[in-house]
Amino acid sequence: MNYSHELILPNDDIPFKLFLFEGKDGNYIRDKHWHRSVEVFALFSGEILFYLNEKEICLTPGEFVLVNSNEIHSIHAQKPNLTVVLQIPLSSFERYYTDEKFIYFSHSSRLQDEEVMSLIQEMYQTYTKQPVGYELKVQGQFYQLLYLLVTKYRKLKVDADIMRQNKGLSRLSAITTYMKDNYQSELSLSSVAKTFGYSPAYLSRMFRKYAKTNYKSYLDQIRLEYAYIELLNTQTPLGEIAMRHGFASSKAFARSFQKKYGMLPSEYRRKESETISLKKSKNSHEWDN
Protein backbone atom coordinates (compact mmCIF):
# COMPACT_ATOMS: atom_id res chain seq x y z
CA MET A 1 0.00 0.00 0.00
CA ASN A 2 1.43 3.39 -1.01
CA TYR A 3 1.35 6.31 1.42
CA SER A 4 1.20 9.90 0.23
CA HIS A 5 2.10 13.20 1.86
CA GLU A 6 -0.71 15.77 1.81
CA LEU A 7 0.06 19.50 1.77
CA ILE A 8 -2.41 21.51 3.88
CA LEU A 9 -3.12 25.22 3.30
CA PRO A 10 -5.27 27.35 5.69
CA ASN A 11 -8.48 29.10 4.62
CA ASP A 12 -7.91 32.62 3.27
CA ASP A 13 -9.54 34.44 6.20
CA ILE A 14 -8.60 32.29 9.21
CA PRO A 15 -5.26 30.75 10.31
CA PHE A 16 -6.43 27.13 9.93
CA LYS A 17 -8.49 25.02 7.54
CA LEU A 18 -12.18 24.36 8.29
CA PHE A 19 -14.44 22.57 5.85
CA LEU A 20 -17.12 19.94 5.31
CA PHE A 21 -15.64 16.50 4.59
CA GLU A 22 -15.39 15.84 0.84
CA GLY A 23 -16.60 12.25 1.33
CA LYS A 24 -20.00 13.42 2.62
CA ASP A 25 -21.92 11.58 -0.13
CA GLY A 26 -20.44 8.18 0.74
CA ASN A 27 -18.67 5.66 -1.50
CA TYR A 28 -15.44 7.46 -0.64
CA ILE A 29 -11.98 6.10 0.10
CA ARG A 30 -8.86 8.16 0.86
CA ASP A 31 -5.73 6.03 0.72
CA LYS A 32 -3.06 6.09 3.40
CA HIS A 33 -1.39 9.48 3.72
CA TRP A 34 0.16 11.87 6.22
CA HIS A 35 0.61 15.61 6.75
CA ARG A 36 2.32 17.93 9.22
CA SER A 37 -0.92 19.55 10.37
CA VAL A 38 -2.93 18.17 13.27
CA GLU A 39 -6.35 17.06 12.01
CA VAL A 40 -9.70 16.68 13.75
CA PHE A 41 -12.62 14.80 12.15
CA ALA A 42 -15.91 15.53 13.96
CA LEU A 43 -18.80 13.28 12.90
CA PHE A 44 -22.34 14.61 13.39
CA SER A 45 -24.30 12.03 11.38
CA GLY A 46 -23.59 8.85 9.43
CA GLU A 47 -20.53 6.67 9.92
CA ILE A 48 -16.84 6.80 8.99
CA LEU A 49 -14.19 4.12 9.29
CA PHE A 50 -10.68 5.34 10.11
CA TYR A 51 -7.44 3.40 9.92
CA LEU A 52 -4.86 5.09 12.13
CA ASN A 53 -1.45 3.40 12.27
CA GLU A 54 -3.17 0.17 11.17
CA LYS A 55 -5.71 0.46 14.01
CA GLU A 56 -9.38 0.52 12.96
CA ILE A 57 -11.57 3.26 14.48
CA CYS A 58 -15.29 3.36 13.68
CA LEU A 59 -16.66 6.86 14.25
CA THR A 60 -20.33 7.25 15.14
CA PRO A 61 -22.32 10.50 15.55
CA GLY A 62 -21.06 12.67 18.39
CA GLU A 63 -17.50 11.38 18.16
CA PHE A 64 -14.30 12.80 16.71
CA VAL A 65 -10.86 11.46 15.93
CA LEU A 66 -7.56 13.29 16.40
CA VAL A 67 -4.87 12.69 13.78
CA ASN A 68 -1.41 13.73 14.90
CA SER A 69 1.22 15.38 12.76
CA ASN A 70 2.93 12.81 10.50
CA GLU A 71 0.54 10.06 11.55
CA ILE A 72 -0.35 7.70 8.71
CA HIS A 73 -4.10 7.29 8.23
CA SER A 74 -6.76 6.36 5.70
CA ILE A 75 -10.50 7.01 5.55
CA HIS A 76 -13.39 4.85 4.36
CA ALA A 77 -16.79 6.54 4.16
CA GLN A 78 -19.18 4.10 2.55
CA LYS A 79 -22.34 5.88 3.75
CA PRO A 80 -23.47 9.53 3.51
CA ASN A 81 -22.28 11.53 6.50
CA LEU A 82 -22.02 15.00 7.99
CA THR A 83 -18.44 15.53 9.10
CA VAL A 84 -16.63 18.76 9.87
CA VAL A 85 -12.87 18.66 9.37
CA LEU A 86 -10.43 20.97 11.11
CA GLN A 87 -6.78 21.04 10.03
CA ILE A 88 -4.53 22.90 12.46
CA PRO A 89 -1.00 24.06 11.50
CA LEU A 90 1.53 22.34 13.73
CA SER A 91 3.06 25.73 14.56
CA SER A 92 -0.12 26.57 16.52
CA PHE A 93 1.26 24.33 19.31
CA GLU A 94 4.83 25.63 19.17
CA ARG A 95 4.88 26.80 22.81
CA TYR A 96 3.87 23.31 23.95
CA TYR A 97 6.45 21.22 22.06
CA THR A 98 8.60 18.76 23.95
CA ASP A 99 12.40 19.12 23.85
CA GLU A 100 12.28 17.18 20.59
CA LYS A 101 10.07 19.91 19.02
CA PHE A 102 7.23 17.42 19.03
CA ILE A 103 3.66 17.24 20.30
CA TYR A 104 1.39 14.21 20.45
CA PHE A 105 -2.30 13.90 21.29
CA SER A 106 -4.16 10.89 22.64
CA HIS A 107 -6.81 9.16 20.53
CA SER A 108 -8.71 7.84 23.51
CA SER A 109 -12.20 9.16 24.30
CA ARG A 110 -12.47 11.61 27.18
CA LEU A 111 -15.20 13.42 29.09
CA GLN A 112 -14.26 16.55 27.11
CA ASP A 113 -15.42 14.98 23.80
CA GLU A 114 -18.84 16.61 24.07
CA GLU A 115 -17.29 20.05 24.61
CA VAL A 116 -14.97 19.61 21.64
CA MET A 117 -17.86 18.55 19.39
CA SER A 118 -19.93 21.53 20.51
CA LEU A 119 -17.07 23.95 19.81
CA ILE A 120 -16.45 22.57 16.32
CA GLN A 121 -20.15 22.72 15.50
CA GLU A 122 -20.33 26.37 16.61
CA MET A 123 -17.18 27.22 14.66
CA TYR A 124 -18.54 25.72 11.45
CA GLN A 125 -21.97 27.34 11.81
CA THR A 126 -20.42 30.77 12.48
CA TYR A 127 -18.00 30.40 9.58
CA THR A 128 -20.77 29.32 7.20
CA LYS A 129 -23.18 32.12 8.10
CA GLN A 130 -20.39 34.75 8.30
CA PRO A 131 -22.09 37.46 10.40
CA VAL A 132 -20.22 40.71 11.06
CA GLY A 133 -17.03 39.89 12.98
CA TYR A 134 -17.28 36.16 12.25
CA GLU A 135 -13.49 35.86 11.86
CA LEU A 136 -12.96 37.08 15.43
CA LYS A 137 -15.64 34.80 16.86
CA VAL A 138 -14.37 31.71 15.02
CA GLN A 139 -10.79 32.39 16.08
CA GLY A 140 -11.91 32.81 19.70
CA GLN A 141 -13.58 29.39 19.51
CA PHE A 142 -10.49 28.00 17.80
CA TYR A 143 -8.21 29.06 20.67
CA GLN A 144 -10.64 27.56 23.17
CA LEU A 145 -10.33 24.30 21.21
CA LEU A 146 -6.53 24.51 21.27
CA TYR A 147 -6.71 24.98 25.05
CA LEU A 148 -8.75 21.78 25.40
CA LEU A 149 -6.37 19.83 23.16
CA VAL A 150 -3.27 20.98 25.03
CA THR A 151 -4.70 20.54 28.55
CA LYS A 152 -6.85 17.43 28.13
CA TYR A 153 -5.48 15.41 25.21
CA ARG A 154 -1.72 16.05 25.04
CA LYS A 155 0.52 13.12 25.98
CA LEU A 156 3.75 14.02 27.74
CA LYS A 157 5.29 10.53 27.44
CA VAL A 158 5.51 9.24 23.88
CA ASP A 159 6.85 5.90 22.65
CA ALA A 160 10.33 6.07 21.06
CA ASP A 161 9.09 4.31 17.90
CA ILE A 162 6.46 7.03 17.39
CA MET A 163 9.19 9.68 17.72
CA ARG A 164 11.40 7.96 15.14
CA GLN A 165 8.51 7.57 12.69
CA ASN A 166 7.62 11.23 13.11
CA LYS A 167 11.18 12.38 12.42
CA GLY A 168 11.45 10.16 9.36
CA LEU A 169 8.21 11.40 7.85
CA SER A 170 9.11 15.02 8.64
CA ARG A 171 12.27 14.67 6.57
CA LEU A 172 10.44 12.85 3.81
CA SER A 173 7.67 15.48 3.74
CA ALA A 174 10.06 18.14 2.42
CA ILE A 175 11.06 15.79 -0.39
CA THR A 176 7.51 14.76 -1.33
CA THR A 177 6.39 18.42 -1.31
CA TYR A 178 9.21 19.19 -3.75
CA MET A 179 8.08 16.27 -5.92
CA LYS A 180 4.49 17.58 -5.96
CA ASP A 181 5.71 21.02 -7.00
CA ASN A 182 7.78 19.57 -9.86
CA TYR A 183 5.92 16.37 -10.77
CA GLN A 184 5.43 17.41 -14.42
CA SER A 185 9.20 17.48 -14.94
CA GLU A 186 11.47 14.49 -15.36
CA LEU A 187 12.27 13.72 -11.72
CA SER A 188 14.85 10.96 -11.53
CA LEU A 189 15.75 9.43 -8.19
CA SER A 190 19.34 10.64 -8.55
CA SER A 191 18.34 14.27 -9.35
CA VAL A 192 16.00 14.52 -6.35
CA ALA A 193 18.59 12.87 -4.09
CA LYS A 194 21.20 15.40 -5.23
CA THR A 195 18.82 18.31 -4.56
CA PHE A 196 18.48 17.24 -0.91
CA GLY A 197 22.08 16.13 -0.39
CA TYR A 198 21.41 12.38 -0.21
CA SER A 199 22.75 9.46 -2.18
CA PRO A 200 20.18 7.74 -4.47
CA ALA A 201 20.50 4.55 -2.40
CA TYR A 202 19.78 6.40 0.87
CA LEU A 203 16.76 8.23 -0.58
CA SER A 204 15.42 4.95 -1.94
CA ARG A 205 15.70 3.39 1.54
CA MET A 206 13.84 6.37 3.06
CA PHE A 207 10.86 5.79 0.79
CA ARG A 208 10.77 2.07 1.50
CA LYS A 209 11.10 2.53 5.27
CA TYR A 210 8.70 5.42 5.87
CA ALA A 211 6.37 5.56 2.84
CA LYS A 212 6.33 1.75 2.41
CA THR A 213 6.81 2.05 -1.34
CA ASN A 214 9.55 2.75 -3.86
CA TYR A 215 10.43 6.14 -5.31
CA LYS A 216 9.01 5.52 -8.80
CA SER A 217 5.68 4.21 -7.50
CA TYR A 218 5.33 7.25 -5.25
CA LEU A 219 6.06 9.66 -8.12
CA ASP A 220 3.56 7.85 -10.36
CA GLN A 221 0.96 8.15 -7.59
CA ILE A 222 1.42 11.94 -7.42
CA ARG A 223 1.07 12.21 -11.19
CA LEU A 224 -1.99 10.00 -11.12
CA GLU A 225 -3.73 12.19 -8.52
CA TYR A 226 -3.46 15.26 -10.75
CA ALA A 227 -4.26 13.36 -13.95
CA TYR A 228 -7.38 11.91 -12.31
CA ILE A 229 -8.74 15.41 -11.58
CA GLU A 230 -8.30 16.48 -15.21
CA LEU A 231 -9.77 13.22 -16.48
CA LEU A 232 -13.01 13.81 -14.55
CA ASN A 233 -13.37 17.54 -15.11
CA THR A 234 -12.37 17.97 -18.74
CA GLN A 235 -12.66 16.26 -22.11
CA THR A 236 -8.92 16.55 -22.74
CA PRO A 237 -7.62 13.58 -24.80
CA LEU A 238 -6.04 10.88 -22.65
CA GLY A 239 -2.68 11.11 -24.40
CA GLU A 240 -2.51 14.83 -23.69
CA ILE A 241 -3.42 14.26 -20.02
CA ALA A 242 -0.67 11.66 -19.75
CA MET A 243 2.02 13.93 -21.21
CA ARG A 244 0.86 17.01 -19.27
CA HIS A 245 1.19 15.20 -15.95
CA GLY A 246 4.58 13.65 -16.48
CA PHE A 247 3.77 10.12 -17.71
CA ALA A 248 6.11 8.75 -20.35
CA SER A 249 3.18 7.71 -22.54
CA SER A 250 -0.59 7.16 -22.55
CA LYS A 251 0.12 3.45 -21.99
CA ALA A 252 2.09 4.22 -18.82
CA PHE A 253 -0.80 6.40 -17.62
CA ALA A 254 -3.33 3.66 -18.39
CA ARG A 255 -1.29 1.03 -16.50
CA SER A 256 -1.05 3.19 -13.36
CA PHE A 257 -4.70 4.15 -13.55
CA GLN A 258 -5.95 0.59 -14.01
CA LYS A 259 -3.79 -0.64 -11.13
CA LYS A 260 -5.46 1.82 -8.73
CA TYR A 261 -9.03 2.09 -10.05
CA GLY A 262 -9.53 -1.33 -11.61
CA MET A 263 -10.36 -0.04 -15.10
CA LEU A 264 -8.84 1.94 -17.94
CA PRO A 265 -9.08 5.76 -17.89
CA SER A 266 -11.43 5.73 -20.90
CA GLU A 267 -13.78 3.28 -19.17
CA TYR A 268 -13.74 5.31 -15.96
CA ARG A 269 -14.50 8.56 -17.76
CA ARG A 270 -17.38 6.95 -19.65
CA LYS A 271 -18.81 5.44 -16.47
CA GLU A 272 -18.65 8.77 -14.60
CA SER A 273 -20.24 10.57 -17.54
CA GLU A 274 -23.14 8.10 -17.58
CA THR A 275 -23.62 8.49 -13.81
CA ILE A 276 -23.78 12.29 -14.12
CA SER A 277 -26.28 12.06 -16.99
CA LEU A 278 -28.52 9.75 -14.95
CA LYS A 279 -28.46 12.14 -11.98
CA LYS A 280 -29.35 15.09 -14.21
CA SER A 281 -32.19 13.15 -15.81
CA LYS A 282 -33.53 12.10 -12.40
CA ASN A 283 -33.37 15.65 -11.04
CA SER A 284 -35.12 17.01 -14.14
CA HIS A 285 -37.90 14.42 -13.80
CA GLU A 286 -38.40 15.24 -10.11
CA TRP A 287 -38.60 18.95 -10.93
CA ASP A 288 -41.21 18.34 -13.64
CA ASN A 289 -43.35 16.43 -11.16
Side-chain angles (χ1 to χ4, degrees):
M1 174 66 73
N2 296 344
Y3 300 169
S4 66
H5 170 236
E6 182 179 358
L7 186 62
I8 304 295
L9 297 175
N11 293 38
D12 293 334
D13 49 356
I14 50 178
F16 52 94
K17 191 172 180 65
L18 179 68
F19 60 97
L20 205 60
F21 177 46
E22 62 267 28
K24 62 184 183 301
D25 296 325
N27 296 317
Y28 175 92
I29 295 177
R30 178 69 169 93
D31 290 335
K32 291 182 178 180
H33 61 288
W34 80 94
H35 39 70
R36 283 185 57 76
S37 297
V38 173
E39 191 168 46
V40 182
F41 275 75
L43 181 68
F44 292 93
S45 68
E47 181 181 293
I48 290 182
L49 196 61
F50 255 83
Y51 290 93
L52 206 55
N53 298 324
E54 307 300 332
K55 180 183 178 181
E56 183 180 296
I57 300 174
C58 183
L59 279 188
T60 56
E63 296 180 336
F64 71 91
V65 65
L66 269 167
V67 182
N68 287 288
S69 173
N70 292 330
E71 194 162 45
I72 293 172
H73 58 289
S74 63
I75 311 162
H76 293 215
Q78 297 301 325
K79 300 176 181 178
N81 61 87
L82 177 61
T83 308
V84 175
V85 184
L86 182 68
Q87 292 169 332
I88 308 169
L90 187 60
S91 58
S92 302
F93 303 102
E94 190 171 6
R95 293 183 61 186
Y96 301 94
Y97 289 166
T98 64
D99 292 339
E100 299 289 336
K101 294 185 178 180
F102 179 72
I103 191 167
Y104 192 83
F105 298 101
S106 169
H107 303 126
S108 61
S109 179
R110 301 286 182 87
L111 294 176
Q112 290 76 22
D113 282 8
E114 188 174 340
E115 188 174 356
V116 169
M117 291 294 293
S118 179
L119 265 174
I120 293 175
Q121 183 178 21
E122 290 174 13
M123 288 170 65
Y124 184 73
Q125 289 174 341
T126 302
Y127 189 74
T128 302
K129 295 176 181 177
Q130 298 199 347
V132 175
Y134 75 93
E135 307 100 319
L136 298 174
K137 184 174 182 180
V138 170
Q139 289 186 66
Q141 294 163 334
F142 172 67
Y143 284 110
Q144 178 62 24
L145 177 63
L146 295 189
Y147 169 76
L148 286 175
L149 296 182
V150 167
T151 57
K152 306 300 182 182
Y153 293 87
R154 182 172 55 140
K155 289 185 70 174
L156 298 179
K157 293 184 179 180
V158 182
D159 187 90
D161 289 339
I162 292 176
M163 296 285 291
R164 282 193 291 269
Q165 177 78 357
N166 179 273
K167 287 182 178 179
L169 288 174
S170 287
R171 285 188 295 151
L172 197 57
S173 293
I175 297 167
T176 55
T177 297
Y178 173 82
M179 291 168 67
K180 283 193 173 185
D181 289 341
N182 298 278
Y183 77 96
Q184 293 168 301
S185 305
E186 184 178 345
L187 288 180
S188 66
L189 174 66
S190 58
S191 68
V192 174
K194 184 178 180 180
T195 298
F196 287 89
Y198 298 129
S199 71
Y202 183 79
L203 181 58
S204 179
R205 287 196 298 272
M206 282 181 69
F207 271 91
R208 290 188 178 280
K209 182 175 182 178
Y210 298 110
K212 311 301 181 185
T213 187
N214 60 55
Y215 173 85
K216 185 180 183 304
S217 294
Y218 191 92
L219 179 57
D220 283 347
Q221 182 61 34
I222 292 173
R223 289 169 169 163
L224 188 59
E225 287 179 7
Y226 288 98
Y228 173 83
I229 293 171
E230 186 166 2
L231 176 77
L232 287 190
N233 296 306
T234 73
Q235 290 303 314
T236 304
L238 299 181
E240 189 175 332
I241 291 177
M243 298 304 291
R244 184 179 298 174
H245 294 285
F247 287 96
S249 65
S250 55
K251 287 185 177 179
F253 171 45
R255 281 197 301 270
S256 293
F257 194 96
Q258 188 169 33
K259 184 177 180 180
K260 180 169 183 178
Y261 296 101
M263 63 182 76
L264 294 171
S266 56
E267 296 172 331
Y268 196 91
R269 175 182 267 175
R270 185 169 58 252
K271 180 182 176 183
E272 288 299 307
S273 179
E274 290 172 354
T275 300
I276 291 171
S277 296
L278 284 173
K279 285 183 178 179
K280 286 182 178 179
S281 177
K282 182 180 178 181
N283 291 338
S284 176
H285 180 69
E286 289 175 347
W287 179 263
D288 291 339
N289 289 337

